[in-house]
Amino acid sequence: MAALAGVSTGTASKALNGRGSLRPETRLRVQQAADQLGFVVNGAARSLQTGRTYTVGMITTDSIGRFSIPLMIGAEDALGAGQVSVLLCDARDDPIREQYYLRTLLSRKVDGIIVTGRRTQARAPIAADLPVPVVYAFISSSDPRDCSVVPDEADGARKAVRHLLAIGRRRIAHVTGPEHHHSAKVRAAAAAETLAAEGLRLATGILHGEWSEAWGRQAAGILLSTGADVDAVFCGSDQIARGMAEALREAGRDIPRTVALVGFDNWDVMVEACRPQLTSVDMDLEGIGRTAAELLLAAINGDPAHGQQALPCRLVPRASTAVLGGDRG
């Protein structure tokens, strides 16, 4: 194979194992020669040579995969170039199960671990003095020495409100999740602060409830029954926004002509099924997974990062905030 690629045996080995400072064209030439000959790297031999297993564990508490699957896709994008495999373990919010999976991954000699879940609130470190590096993704560790990658939810809320202001809305309500929930608190505070910076206030008090379509429908009923003067609603999740849209539409309110609507999460199942399709804030879960994996690889290679990194969100405009001609009524 080395002869076919026109390189030395050592160079071929470095190219196939992702080591050394080689030109991209050299790596490509070696890989093409390997493909032509049907050569597959012997994982066991590579592990003996490098002292690594080229596997990474991912422990999650997100049983339905709403957050962990996009995170894993992003992580695999970053790890795949180094031929590193991801072992996904679902702890189901059970501390005993979580510690079992941690011991299992360590017994398999993984090179590192990514810890994630379905909430962005800080959690206690998964363990102390582990023999491999750990990076927290989407959630964060309460220990500032740990490496955490999280979405900047305040940034996302600011972008949602600024978008509504940019399309001419001034009487904005905010409907969100439970009052004690970290994400609900962060998003609500950022929304209120963004309006205050423009000399405005929320059109009503913040409406707290469940992260559900049912709560969105109920909240719409509250706004309608109180006669609140509202021309836009920023919802703390897409599920709430979809329920809100359904109830407003049934009550004869035109979206976006009379009421513009923005959600949060950019969950395709929700935003595409909403009528009209929903403008939403995207936390870039794949990007968080990719960044976490890159930081984990750096730590595995002896260059660990510490502290929390907050990645910006992006707003995805759709029909629920479309700018229409004429009077909104």
Side-chain angles (χ1 to χ4, degrees), residues 49-73:
Q49 182 183 29
T50 63
R52 290 176 52 184
T53 60
Y54 291 88
T55 58
V56 163
M58 178 180 280
I59 299 178
T60 182
T61 58
D62 174 29
S63 300
I64 64 172
R66 164 69 188 93
F67 300 103
S68 59
I69 297 303
L71 285 163
M72 187 172 72
I73 291 172

Side-chain angles (χ1 to χ4, degrees), residues 8-326:
S8 68
T9 302
T11 297
S13 176
K14 289 178 182 178
L16 292 173
N17 289 300
R19 296 182 291 109
S21 300
L22 303 179
R23 293 194 301 273
E25 56 268 28
T26 301
R27 290 189 189 278
L28 178 61
R29 196 163 68 249
V30 172
Q31 188 59 58
Q32 288 173 336
D35 293 343
Q36 183 177 335
L37 296 172
F39 177 81
V40 178
V41 175
N42 185 309
R46 183 171 63 160
S47 295
L48 287 172
Q49 182 183 29
T50 63
R52 290 176 52 184
T53 60
Y54 291 88
T55 58
V56 163
M58 178 180 280
I59 299 178
T60 182
T61 58
D62 174 29
S63 300
I64 64 172
R66 164 69 188 93
F67 300 103
S68 59
I69 297 303
L71 285 163
M72 187 172 72
I73 291 172
E76 286 184 328
D77 285 347
L79 297 168
Q83 299 180 351
V84 177
S85 301
V86 181
L87 305 177
L88 179 63
C89 302
D90 177 16
R92 305 180 198 174
D93 262 341
D94 181 347
I96 296 175
R97 187 183 294 269
E98 182 176 83
Q99 290 303 306
Y100 164 76
Y101 280 131
L102 177 60
R103 291 193 300 270
T104 299
L105 291 171
L106 293 176
S107 72
R108 294 195 176 199
K109 305 295 184 183
V110 294
D111 297 325
I113 295 172
I114 296 173
V115 178
T116 186
R118 63 176 182 271
R119 301 182 187 93
T120 55
Q121 188 167 2
R123 54 155 292 165
I126 193 167
D129 301 321
L130 289 173
V132 296
V134 176
V135 173
Y136 296 79
F138 191 65
I139 61 173
S140 62
S141 169
S142 57
D143 187 338
R145 295 170 297 179
D146 289 334
C147 180
S148 304
V149 184
V150 300
D152 189 340
E153 297 178 270
D155 169 70
R158 286 191 292 268
K159 285 174 177 172
V161 172
R162 286 170 184 159
H163 174 67
L164 290 171
L165 293 172
I167 63 171
R169 308 305 164 108
R170 293 295 182 271
R171 304 183 302 277
I172 302 170
H174 184 48
V175 180
T176 191
E179 192 168 3
H180 66 272
H181 198 289
H182 173 74
S183 291
K185 290 190 290 186
V186 169
R187 297 170 191 179
E193 289 166 4
T194 304
L195 286 170
E198 299 295 325
L200 300 170
R201 299 174 60 185
L202 286 168
T204 67
I206 298 168
L207 297 180
H208 288 282
E210 299 301 315
W211 300 109
S212 68
E213 291 179 67
W215 165 235
R217 289 190 291 270
Q218 183 182 347
I222 293 172
L223 291 176
L224 292 168
S225 65
T226 58
D229 185 17
V230 170
D231 63 7
V233 182
F234 167 38
C235 295
S237 79
D238 293 337
Q239 288 171 285
I240 294 172
R242 185 181 175 190
M244 172 74 63
E246 181 180 290
L248 290 175
R249 193 172 63 250
E250 289 175 354
R253 298 302 176 93
D254 186 288
I255 303 171
R257 188 175 296 277
T258 58
V259 182
L261 198 60
V262 177
F264 204 109
D265 291 335
N266 200 33
W267 187 4
D268 55 357
V269 173
M270 290 291 151
V271 298
E272 293 172 9
C274 187
R275 292 294 176 267
Q277 290 200 347
L278 181 66
T279 295
S280 187
V281 175
D282 192 317
M283 292 184 285
D284 189 15
L285 297 175
E286 289 188 22
I288 290 171
R290 192 160 46 247
T291 300
E294 290 168 351
L295 290 169
L296 186 63
L297 284 175
I300 291 169
N301 290 321
D303 185 21
H306 302 281
Q308 185 182 103
Q309 293 194 23
L311 302 189
C313 298
R314 65 187 178 97
L315 185 99
V316 183
R318 295 188 180 89
S320 70
T321 58
V323 177
L324 304 173

